Amino acid sequence: MPAEDVEPVHDGGISTYLVHVEYSHAPRPTRNTARLTRAYTSFLRDTLPAGMNAPAPSIIYSYAHAMTGFAARLTARQAAHLKVQPSVLGVTRDRLYKLHTTMSSSFLGLTPFSPLVVASNRGTDAVIGVIDSGIYPKDRASFAADRWMKPPPTSFRGGCVSHPDFNATEYCNYKLVGAKYFHNGHVAMMSQMAGSTPASGSPLDVEGHGTHCASIAAGAPVRNANLFGFARGVAKGTASGARIASYNACGTSCTSSDVTAAIDEAIADGVDVLSISLGFDADLYIDPVMIASFRAVRAGIFVSTPAGNEGPYDAPVGNLAPWVCTVGASTMNREFRAPVSLGNGKTFTGYSLYSGPDPYGTMKPLVYGLDVGSQFCEAGKLDASKVKGKIVLCVGGAAAQGLAVKQAGGAGAIIASRGDYGDFARADPHLLPAVTVTFDDAIEIRQYCNTPNPVARISYFNTVKGFVNPPSPRVASFSNRGPNRLAPEILKPDIIAPGVEILAAWTGEASPSQLDADPRRVKFNIISGTSMATPHVSGIAALLKVAQPDWTPAEIKSALMTTAYNEDNSGGVIKDMATGKEAGPFQMGAGHVDPNRALDPGLVYNAESHDYISFMCALGYTTQQIAILTGGSTAKDICSEHEDIAVGDHNYPAFSVAFKSSDDKVTQRRIVRNVGSHVNAVYTFSYRALPIGWSAIVDPPELEFDAGHTSLEYTVTFSLLPAASNSSQTEAHSALVWTDGKHKVVSPIVLTWPTTTAAMEVM
């Protein structure tokens, strides 16, 4: 909790504070609010010293389910005293919040009067195509058209397809302007599998993923949106005025043929942005998504894709082509906390979206899953006679483990996050009191299980937002990292955006936990993934496309990358949740997306079809392989027209250099276009956080733009110095910054060199 929440007030001023009480000191939950208030009044009287009772505190709310504790009018001195008491878990000052998205839009600075929102008129003239599992518009205000909405732009030629379970006339409008489905590939694949029954094709989303992503990108504002009371607020898409065209290519699974058909249709329909929350890690010429995306970008469509959710292992990042924007996931300044208290007096921070009554008035027996049948708490393997009425500590998993404990008669579950996830522990909508804790905390809880008569209790805080500790944003542990396996010179991911615990619209055909045994149905759900980060960038790109209609997809991506930020809300470098260390370009690309700054980047790096062909030639692709991507002819050697161009010369807004030896020297070329308001502008360069051990020479050191020179070229020559080649390190980070006094055009730099370099120098 930040110190300013209880800062001293010398004039005796009174504020409202929320006081989170440790469960053993709290009254038993009840709907009798008068009884709760009396109990908490006694609590205050007993906790505050006699000399601190004036002016007398007054309780304005007593909470039984949303949190354990109360809201009271207190002096700052009283609040500060409560904060340090063992019986109090937290004290936060009440804040005045304006209506906002359930965090992500406000976190991104996209308020109704922010520069990008105003300049783009909320993206009204843009159509975002969402390639996913379809859309669920039934009784979903996120996809309703406001009365002020006009017909979509005439450049969009798509529409909606009716189906027995999807009434296009009823569901489609000026907001949802397209809804189609593609399932032939899925039907064919399922027919080859014994016992498999293909799902019937329809635009309707029965999974939830597509609905969630579509509403993140461009959902209409919905007041009082929440999941079981969590994350309550105004939910709205990143480009809340933009139109949505949904292409269902992923019923119960995605086939490359269906996905390709969907992208093909979207290009024909004339969408402005494609949001594709799926992908592969394959050579570009055999990756259907990258092939189809190349065609889309060539048609002027911005394409955003996810980095993948297999992190934090090295080099698993997907969607590697330079023509797509590959998005990693970050956290926001909001958490869903649920403390776990042990009988030995220790308390650990858990995370949960459990919404039922909190039954614990006393501690419950605690057992380890391995001791009662399954350390992973697998369904059907837990011994009900040993689980009944107890809290079970489980290794790994999510809501499914909690369900297994519930079915075995357990009273609750504590679920360990993955060991390599570090600080990340996912909150899930459990069916019983259950929380996820970090792996390190789970180890300590496991050790406690070995003591005589271990007991535990789970409490619920509900939503904690604002300045949470640790700071935000952070790179999500699950978010895939670089380097780029196919082309190390192209930095991937490109950027990070909110992707942890995002609230957005949900299907009425699936439960929030996505478990078949879960009967609950909700209009909004909270889930995490780079799939959630991707439509945030899709929405921002739609806003930029309206505000800057002459920019190419590459220039939009350039603006996003060169204006991204690298500092968290405490002023430090953005951290990696997996390690707790500062994140680098392989973890967060250019940094965290900053929509309003991207509106006016100063300079942009462009790339078009011939640039991408040069890139593929430099990779060593054959004319035939390139033709697969471009649809071009194989009659002549296309690369003969693109000789003497290195992979690193691709006009990318970042520099990634992989030295092959200690005496290697690499020169990369770039061209920038002046898009600032001043035609005559002079930019000079500097470095950010220049590490010792390497050099970079920029030529020319100054760029002078005028009406006749709106685009200028420069080179950077990188070389290792003995200080680096003789060290044990194999990676260095920096950034090249061009500035005209108003704009800062920042390109990340990441240098790598072989682990054997130091040994070679010594020999």
Side-chain angles (χ1 to χ4, degrees):
M1 183 187 314
E4 61 267 22
D5 280 341
V6 290
E7 64 182 288
V9 179
H10 300 292
D11 62 1
I14 297 175
S15 299
T16 300
Y17 293 86
L18 278 72
V19 181
H20 300 283
V21 179
E22 204 282 327
Y23 207 96
S24 62
H25 296 272
R28 183 182 298 275
T30 175
R31 298 190 65 178
N32 188 327
T33 56
R35 183 183 300 171
L36 282 177
T37 299
R38 287 196 297 271
Y40 283 127
T41 300
S42 297
F43 172 87
L44 277 175
R45 188 184 308 116
D46 296 338
T47 306
L48 292 173
M52 204 178 287
N53 278 310
S58 60
I59 294 177
I60 60 174
Y61 284 111
S62 297
Y63 303 106
H65 306 295
M67 60 172 268
T68 302
F70 55 91
R73 298 286 290 171
L74 305 167
T75 66
R77 188 172 172 224
Q78 290 167 341
H81 180 82
L82 288 173
K83 180 185 176 183
V84 297
Q85 302 307 305
S87 57
V88 174
L89 296 172
V91 179
T92 58
R93 184 163 39 189
D94 210 4
R95 303 291 181 93
L96 178 63
Y97 295 103
K98 295 180 180 179
L99 286 177
H100 52 46
T101 171
T102 53
M103 292 303 292
S104 59
S105 286
S106 58
F107 187 76
L108 291 169
L110 293 174
T111 62
F113 301 105
S114 63
L116 181 55
V117 172
V118 172
S120 65
N121 191 24
R122 300 189 304 130
T124 300
D125 291 333
V127 178
I128 301 176
V130 182
I131 311 292
D132 214 292
S133 63
I135 197 162
Y136 191 92
K138 298 180 181 181
D139 193 30
R140 295 296 184 266
S142 297
F143 309 117
D146 291 338
R147 60 179 179 271
W148 51 261
M149 291 195 81
K150 298 178 181 180
T154 56
S155 57
F156 179 70
R157 300 171 293 276
C160 295
V161 175
S162 283
H163 186 271
D165 64 3
F166 192 94
N167 187 333
T169 302
E170 179 183 353
Y171 300 145
C172 291
N173 48 49
Y174 290 163
K175 163 62 75 172
L176 180 58
V177 297
K180 301 178 181 180
Y181 64 95
F182 306 85
H183 75 303
N184 292 346
H186 175 75
V187 170
M189 186 172 292
M190 292 299 102
S191 66
Q192 298 171 6
M193 301 179 183
S196 297
T197 302
S200 62
S202 167
L204 192 70
D205 178 18
V206 299
E207 301 294 317
H209 193 274
T211 300
H212 204 265
C213 290
S215 67
I216 291 172
V222 182
R223 292 176 178 270
N224 201 34
N226 66 92
L227 172 66
F228 305 135
F230 294 99
R232 190 181 300 276
V234 177
K236 62 179 179 179
T238 308
S240 62
R243 322 307 176 98
I244 298 169
S246 170
Y247 301 86
N248 184 354
C250 302
T252 55
S253 63
C254 307
T255 66
S256 58
S257 58
D258 290 338
V259 172
T260 303
I263 298 175
D264 186 82
E265 187 76 3
I267 296 172
D269 286 346
V271 301
D272 298 292
V273 172
L274 270 176
S275 191
I276 310 175
S277 286
L278 53 91
F280 305 92
D281 177 14
D283 284 306
L284 303 181
Y285 60 88
I286 60 175
D287 185 338
V289 172
M290 293 301 98
I291 295 169
S293 295
F294 176 85
R295 309 292 182 93
V297 170
R298 187 171 60 184
I301 301 169
F302 180 92
V303 180
S304 59
T305 58
N309 301 324
E310 292 75 39
Y313 301 111
D314 291 336
V317 64
N319 296 313
L320 302 174
W323 49 82
V324 300
C325 187
T326 306
V327 188
S330 65
T331 65
M332 297 187 297
N333 55 336
R334 178 184 66 194
E335 294 179 344
F336 306 104
R337 296 180 181 175
V340 176
S341 301
L342 304 182
N344 61 5
K346 292 188 176 181
T347 298
F348 301 90
T349 300
Y351 302 87
S352 181
L353 295 170
Y354 170 69
S355 63
D358 186 348
Y360 303 139
T362 59
M363 292 279 189
K364 297 288 183 181
L366 173 67
V367 294
Y368 178 43
L370 183 62
D371 298 330
V372 293
S374 170
Q375 64 176 330
F376 300 105
C377 296
E378 299 165 274
K381 293 186 178 181
L382 293 172
D383 187 337
S385 65
K386 298 179 180 179
V387 171
K388 186 175 181 180
K390 299 175 182 177
I391 297 175
V392 184
L393 174 63
C394 308
V395 175
Q401 275 65 28
L403 175 61
V405 172
K406 178 180 175 66
Q407 291 173 334
I414 301 170
I415 300 168
S417 186
R418 282 173 37 172
D420 57 356
Y421 270 11
D423 290 337
F424 178 69
R426 188 176 68 191
D428 286 302
H430 290 284
L431 288 161
L432 84 169
V435 300
T436 305
V437 298
T438 66
F439 186 78
D440 287 346
D441 286 350
I443 290 177
E444 193 167 347
I445 296 171
R446 168 71 182 96
Q447 294 170 344
Y448 171 69
C449 287
N450 291 329
T451 63
N453 303 315
V455 291
R457 176 176 51 244
I458 300 171
S459 306
Y460 293 94
F461 272 11
N462 208 318
T463 305
V464 178
K465 57 187 177 182
F467 189 100
V468 296
N469 188 25
S472 60
R474 291 183 292 166
V475 179
S477 300
F478 59 76
S479 187
N480 284 9
R481 291 98 197 287
N484 187 324
R485 181 183 63 83
L486 296 180
E489 297 86 350
I490 302 299
L491 179 64
K492 291 290 178 175
D494 294 297
I495 207 161
I496 57 174
V500 175
E501 295 169 352
I502 305 299
L503 183 131
W506 193 248
T507 178
E509 301 290 324
S511 68
S513 65
Q514 303 178 62
L515 298 173
D516 292 338
D518 185 352
R520 299 172 298 178
R521 295 295 181 266
V522 295
K523 292 185 178 181
F524 291 88
N525 199 10
I526 296 173
I527 55 178
S528 302
T530 55
S531 286
M532 283 65 253
T534 298
H536 280 104
V537 172
S538 303
I540 297 167
L543 296 174
L544 287 170
K545 190 148 192 174
V546 175
Q548 304 286 5
D550 65 326
W551 286 4
T552 67
E555 289 176 327
I556 292 175
K557 182 168 73 168
S558 171
L560 294 172
M561 293 178 67
T562 62
T563 59
Y565 63 87
N566 296 118
E567 290 187 352
D568 60 30
N569 59 2
S570 73
V573 176
I574 292 172
K575 304 298 190 299
D576 182 351
M577 292 188 79
T579 63
K581 299 178 180 179
E582 294 182 356
F586 289 150
Q587 289 77 45
M588 62 176 172
H592 196 282
V593 65
D594 190 340
N596 291 306
R597 285 193 62 214
L599 177 64
D600 183 20
L603 306 176
V604 290
Y605 296 79
N606 189 27
E608 300 186 76
S609 291
H610 67 278
D611 299 293
Y612 296 126
I613 292 173
S614 295
F615 163 77
M616 290 183 277
C617 289
L619 278 181
Y621 282 11
T622 66
T623 297
Q624 180 177 344
Q625 291 167 342
I626 294 172
I628 293 172
L629 283 145
T630 65
S633 171
T634 59
K636 64 176 181 178
D637 180 9
I638 192 171
C639 289
S640 63
E641 303 172 1
H642 299 266
E643 295 179 346
D644 301 324
I645 296 178
V647 177
D649 288 337
H650 182 70
N651 205 38
Y652 217 62
F655 296 91
S656 180
V657 181
F659 291 110
K660 297 178 181 178
S661 64
S662 60
D663 58 355
D664 199 5
K665 183 177 292 186
V666 176
T667 298
Q668 295 189 355
R669 297 169 176 81
R670 295 291 188 272
I671 298 174
V672 286
R673 181 167 77 95
N674 179 21
V675 295
S677 57
H678 297 294
V679 174
N680 299 312
V682 178
Y683 280 80
T684 57
F685 86 94
S686 63
Y687 291 112
R688 177 181 293 175
L690 184 65
I692 297 174
W694 59 277
S695 69
I697 300 174
V698 178
D699 184 29
E702 190 174 85
L703 300 175
E704 297 185 20
F705 296 92
D706 56 39
H709 302 86
T710 58
S711 295
L712 295 175
E713 179 179 337
Y714 70 93
T715 64
V716 185
T717 300
F718 301 94
S719 57
L720 283 174
L721 300 177
S725 59
N726 291 325
S727 74
S728 59
Q729 294 183 339
T730 60
E731 184 178 319
H733 309 149
S734 184
L736 174 65
V737 183
W738 289 101
T739 182
D740 64 346
K742 175 183 178 182
H743 305 92
K744 287 187 177 181
V745 187
V746 183
S747 293
I749 298 172
V750 57
L751 307 173
T752 59
W753 52 91
T755 55
T756 57
T757 296
M760 291 168 57
E761 290 292 316
V762 174
M763 292 175 61

